[in-house]
Amino acid sequence: MIFDELQSFIITAIQNRYIDYCIRLLASLFCGLFLGIERKQHQEIVGIRTLMLISISSCLLSILSLEMSRFLHFSGDSTRIAAGVVSGIGFIGAGAILKQGVNIKGLTTAAIIFCASAMGLCCGSRLYFPAFSVLLLGLFILSFFHKIEHKYFPLTKIKHIKLVISSLDVNFNLLKEIILNKGYLIKDIQIEKEIQKKKTTIVFVIKCSDTTDTVDLSDSFSSVSNLQKLFIYE
């Protein structure tokens, strides 16, 4: 009985154009809302309001695309609007990608921006099931596989360790052992020796996790003899 009444209400609502528009926009708004909450939990630059606006804007343009061909008897290809959204959203996504030293951050956020736009277009075309299916799958991917990546592939960040030693005789095996014992991966080693000053400068390029304790890492080199300076940077 309740199901029949609900079904009747939905059919009546769809028949009313303005209520139908509101349903589409609200559906796209919720898609952007949940994706925005997920991003804010990770302290990303793109947050709730941004993704909600992207999603409802894409939905609006999708509605415009459909209504131009249906009611305004538009003779051109109305799907060009949706194609333009896909192209234009790439510029917003590119703005979310940041380069910090040799590290690149924001690729996942850029993908989420694209996803929010796609779901908005789907809601604008009344394709609610694909839109909410992608929303659920997206949230599952972001939460579950985020843990999988951090557990099995934690070394995602590049850092440089620069050591200035006042000696030409350097125990490289000890330096390597200190880094490897911390669970880091050595990608490259750069060595510069100043013969007259009897000084050696070594730069280790390592892969580490996002949660690397820089203070603890620096303290690990306290046992290195003749160590003058130590720099850790990206």
Side-chain angles (χ1 to χ4, degrees), residues 102-103 156-160 187 205-208 233-234:
V102 294
N103 297 292
T156 58
K157 201 169 186 178
I158 298 289
K159 279 188 178 293
H160 296 77
K187 295 288 292 181
V205 182
I206 66 168
K207 288 198 74 174
C208 57
Y233 56 94
E234 292 185 1

Side-chain angles (χ1 to χ4, degrees), residues 2-232:
I2 298 175
F3 179 77
D4 293 336
E5 291 179 359
L6 180 61
Q7 187 178 21
S8 176
F9 171 76
I10 293 173
I11 293 173
T12 304
I14 290 175
Q15 291 173 347
N16 188 313
R17 285 173 57 191
Y18 298 106
I19 296 178
D20 183 28
Y21 295 157
C22 291
I23 292 173
R24 298 191 216 182
L25 289 168
L26 284 173
S28 64
L29 182 143
F30 280 111
C31 289
L33 171 64
F34 288 114
L35 288 177
I37 291 173
E38 193 282 333
R39 284 293 83 189
K40 273 303 179 184
Q41 288 177 340
H42 291 86
Q43 302 300 319
E44 295 294 338
I45 55 173
V46 174
I48 299 173
R49 291 178 300 171
T50 304
L51 288 172
M52 288 171 69
L53 287 171
I54 289 172
S55 186
I56 63 172
S57 298
S58 300
C59 177
L60 178 62
L61 290 171
S62 180
I63 293 173
L64 174 63
S65 177
L66 294 170
E67 301 304 286
M68 285 177 68
S69 60
R70 185 181 306 171
F71 295 104
L72 302 180
H73 305 292
F74 184 67
S75 59
D77 185 5
S78 61
T79 59
R80 288 184 180 181
I81 294 178
V85 172
V86 175
S87 301
I89 208 68
F91 290 98
I92 302 177
I97 300 174
L98 303 174
K99 192 172 186 297
Q100 299 176 338
V102 294
N103 297 292
I104 297 176
K105 187 179 181 181
L107 289 172
T108 303
T109 300
I112 289 175
I113 289 173
F114 191 82
C115 186
S117 176
M119 288 189 294
L121 289 171
C122 283
C123 291
S125 301
R126 294 200 199 97
L127 299 174
Y128 302 119
F129 181 78
F132 286 113
S133 297
V134 169
L135 175 62
L136 293 175
L137 286 172
L139 293 174
F140 172 73
I141 290 168
L142 291 168
S143 60
F144 180 75
F145 285 96
H146 176 75
K147 298 176 182 177
I148 294 294
E149 284 185 343
H150 275 69
K151 184 176 181 179
Y152 295 102
F153 309 100
L155 306 180
T156 58
K157 201 169 186 178
I158 298 289
K159 279 188 178 293
H160 296 77
I161 303 173
K162 184 178 180 180
L163 304 163
V164 180
I165 301 173
S166 59
S167 173
L168 296 176
D169 185 18
V170 179
N171 189 346
F172 288 98
N173 291 328
L174 174 62
L175 299 177
K176 290 180 182 178
E177 186 179 346
I178 292 172
I179 295 172
L180 295 175
N181 285 341
K182 289 293 181 181
Y184 305 139
L185 178 66
I186 299 174
K187 295 288 292 181
D188 192 20
I189 303 175
Q190 302 169 12
I191 303 171
E192 179 185 351
K193 290 193 174 186
E194 298 180 44
I195 307 299
Q196 293 181 348
K197 295 182 180 180
K198 294 184 179 181
K199 186 172 69 174
T200 304
T201 302
I202 308 162
V203 178
F204 288 96
V205 182
I206 66 168
K207 288 198 74 174
C208 57
S209 66
D210 292 332
T211 57
T212 298
D213 189 344
T214 307
V215 176
D216 179 62
L217 177 60
S218 64
D219 291 341
S220 303
F221 292 94
S222 59
S223 60
V224 179
S225 59
N226 301 318
L227 179 62
Q228 282 187 331
K229 296 179 181 179
L230 171 65
F231 303 93
I232 300 176

